[in-house]
Amino acid sequence: MPAGLAPKLKLRIGTRGSPLALVQARQVGADLERLGNGEVTCEIVTFTTGGDKLTTQRLINAGGKGLFTREIDQAVDDGRCDLAVHSLKDVPGALPDGQALLAFPEREDPRDGFISLTGVKSARDLPAGATVGTASLRRESQTLAMRPDLKIVTFRGNVQTRMKKLEDGLADATYLAMSGLERLEMTHVAVPVPISDMIPAAGQGIITVAARPDDLDPAVVDLIKSLNHEQSRLAATAERAFLVELDGSCRTAMGGHARLEDGKWLFDGEVLEPDGSRRWMQADALSGEVTDEALAGLGRSIGQRIREAAGGDLPAFEDD
């Protein structure tokens, strides 16, 4: 147990109530209890967020990025929860005043997973004019970049809801994050999409723990930070810098992905026209030991180069 931690401490963890969100929050809670050597207990507090209430709309029609975190952030701010567990890709670039992202446990597979109940393995192999269900503007644009003839319909809901929509014939195929399927032990339903075809959303595959560090005992902050996986934390640093540089929102189709390969930090980023007709892609690398500042600079540099290549103004989806 970290020095100075009060005995028999109870921590309230805020999370969405979806099956995947609960798996993530419970794992964080179990890890905190383990690292607390029996002196910490965790209570899961669930919330229905604005994003959870959407069943047919895109996020841009209801307030954009932050719809899956806003109610939980408020609960942390007003003391109903001590910390929150989020999927990093849902977290806006600007955090609520006083909040910080304190921990980034080890990243799961960041790729998108392609799902079809007909045995088709890729959007490239779908029949002409087939329908793909997604509520992600990024996935929509990337799909149309591969196959302009495909029809996109809006799919919202958790993993189980989207699988049911496929079974009901509302689309021929859809996508789900491989990381979520891993956590739910459902990877068998999907085929991973190469990152060269679909650069993931910034932060995809990473969960994060948010809190108000100034309102917590320093020993609790240290306990939360002990959940960090260093490579995942560094990747998050680069990807969020990229997101902030491009003022990432749910109106722009964009992907950014950092990873460590053979001793080098690689970063791929892109922005696409809504219809997939054009895409602006940039890549770069850093060698040797790197600092947080260097990785943030890598992400910002990729974002700046994409903006310049696109002529300064990024293409954006319009409200439906």
Side-chain angles (χ1 to χ4, degrees), residues 82-219:
D82 301 298
L83 53 104
V85 175
H86 301 304
S87 293
L88 184 61
K89 67 182 179 66
D90 294 332
V91 179
L95 299 175
D97 289 344
Q99 286 198 29
L101 304 180
L102 297 181
F104 304 88
E106 186 170 4
R107 184 178 216 161
E108 298 282 4
D109 189 340
R111 294 173 295 178
D112 292 296
F114 176 83
I115 304 173
S116 175
L117 303 183
T118 63
V120 176
K121 303 298 184 183
S122 165
R124 297 186 186 278
D125 301 325
L126 286 169
T131 300
V132 176
T134 181
S136 162
L137 306 187
R138 173 186 61 85
R139 290 170 177 162
E140 176 175 342
S141 298
Q142 290 170 330
T143 299
L144 293 174
M146 289 187 280
R147 286 284 305 276
D149 63 296
L150 296 178
K151 179 183 178 183
I152 306 295
V153 295
T154 301
F155 257 32
R156 292 219 56 79
N158 60 34
V159 172
Q160 291 75 12
T161 298
R162 287 190 240 180
M163 293 298 295
K164 180 65 165 56
K165 289 181 177 181
L166 272 190
E167 293 169 4
D168 290 344
L170 300 182
D172 298 299
T174 190
Y175 300 101
L176 288 166
M178 291 302 301
S179 56
L181 294 173
E182 282 184 337
R183 292 177 183 125
L184 292 171
E185 300 181 349
M186 292 178 60
T187 55
H188 60 281
V189 306
V191 178
V193 181
I195 288 176
S196 56
D197 281 346
M198 299 182 75
I199 297 176
Q204 185 160 300
I206 301 177
I207 62 174
T208 187
V209 182
R212 298 180 59 85
D214 291 346
D215 294 346
L216 296 175
D217 187 302

Side-chain angles (χ1 to χ4, degrees), residues 232-254:
S232 301
R233 188 188 68 80
L234 290 171
T237 299
E239 291 172 25
R240 283 186 61 76
F242 168 81
L243 183 76
V244 171
E245 179 62 35
L246 291 179
D247 190 25
S249 71
C250 287
R251 294 183 181 276
T252 301
M254 56 186 290

